[in-house]
Amino acid sequence: MRKRTPKARRIVVRLLVAGGVAAVLLYTEGQWESRSGGLMLVADLLNRPELLLGAALAALIAAAWLGDRRTALRTATRTVTVTAGVVFLLGVLAAHKVAAAETRSRETAPARPERALVVVHRSYAATARTGDSWQVLLESGEGWSARRWSLLEIGRAPDEARLVEASWTGRDQITVVTDSYRRVFNLDQDSGEPVEAR
């Protein structure tokens, strides 16, 4: 007669599975809010793949190791979960290897302290991908309702344009100048959403 899994162990397995699923759902929400116009604080808190997906993977591996009773199923589950863990770890290490040196500049809007122009500069000189890239962002609002809008990404490829200047050119206007073009964005009075001037 096969020995039954103790009730406490089944509860732990269910909690681990629930925790793993919750971590994936939280990361998915953070990823969604990282889009242009998404909630800034939610994106900053939850768009953390290494932390949340790593925790989900660890919880699901632990649940698999504790929960399976049959030897063949247990061996197969352990093989799959350990392989997934190794692949995840290699992905994290690869992401850190190609990480860029990053600097940020921030300028608040004239007479509108709840709006800020942010320029993120990334330099990839020490990696296989050489060059610089810039991300021009607008942060609008305060607290949990604050939103982050992506205006432009410049220099993603080595032969692309380089940023010359991004600045406020009015109370509700941002101008971005590169070495090959100039773009003007007007901000919606109510939502703060940037719309490129035509």
Side-chain angles (χ1 to χ4, degrees), residues 16-34 42-43 45-49 51-57 60:
L16 286 168
V17 170
V21 170
V24 170
L25 292 175
L26 289 172
Y27 169 68
T28 303
E29 179 64 20
Q31 186 73 17
W32 170 252
E33 292 300 344
S34 294
V42 175
L45 288 172
L46 299 180
N47 189 11
R48 300 184 179 273
L51 175 66
L52 290 173
L53 294 182
L57 185 59
L60 294 175

Side-chain angles (χ1 to χ4, degrees), residues 1 11 13 24 41 47 85 92 110 135 174 190:
M1 187 170 162
I11 291 171
V13 168
V24 170
L41 290 178
N47 189 11
V92 168
Q135 188 176 17
I174 295 170
D190 298 320

Side-chain angles (χ1 to χ4, degrees), residues 4 23 28 39 126 132 161 173 175 194:
R4 288 190 174 182
T28 303
L39 294 172
D132 296 286
Q173 187 177 76
T175 302

Side-chain angles (χ1 to χ4, degrees), residues 21-177:
V21 170
V24 170
L25 292 175
L26 289 172
Y27 169 68
T28 303
E29 179 64 20
Q31 186 73 17
W32 170 252
E33 292 300 344
S34 294
R35 76 195 190 288
S36 183
L39 294 172
M40 187 169 63
L41 290 178
V42 175
D44 290 346
L45 288 172
L46 299 180
N47 189 11
R48 300 184 179 273
E50 294 151 347
L51 175 66
L52 290 173
L53 294 182
L57 185 59
L60 294 175
I61 287 172
W65 280 63
L66 291 173
D68 291 336
R69 290 179 285 181
R70 289 173 285 174
T71 306
L73 182 58
R74 182 182 305 148
T75 302
T77 303
R78 287 179 181 176
T79 302
V80 169
T81 53
V82 168
T83 302
V86 169
V87 169
F88 179 76
L89 183 61
L90 291 175
V92 168
L93 293 174
H96 282 295
K97 188 175 181 181
V98 296
E102 182 177 289
T103 57
R104 289 176 178 256
S105 62
R106 183 180 177 87
E107 179 186 354
T108 56
R112 299 294 294 263
E114 76 282 2
R115 292 181 179 168
L117 173 64
V118 178
V119 177
V120 181
H121 174 227
R122 295 180 183 94
S123 178
Y124 296 90
T127 65
R129 176 183 165 183
T130 58
D132 296 286
S133 70
W134 295 266
Q135 188 176 17
V136 183
L137 305 166
L138 169 69
E139 294 177 355
S140 180
E142 297 174 320
W144 286 100
S145 63
R147 296 193 176 273
R148 182 180 291 127
W149 305 92
S150 180
L151 302 176
L152 286 172
E153 290 191 33
I154 304 161
R156 292 185 63 113
D159 57 345
E160 279 191 22
R162 295 181 59 79
L163 179 68
V164 174
E165 181 183 26
S167 60
W168 292 98
T169 50
R171 179 183 162 122
D172 296 309
Q173 187 177 76
I174 295 170
T175 302
V176 180
V177 180

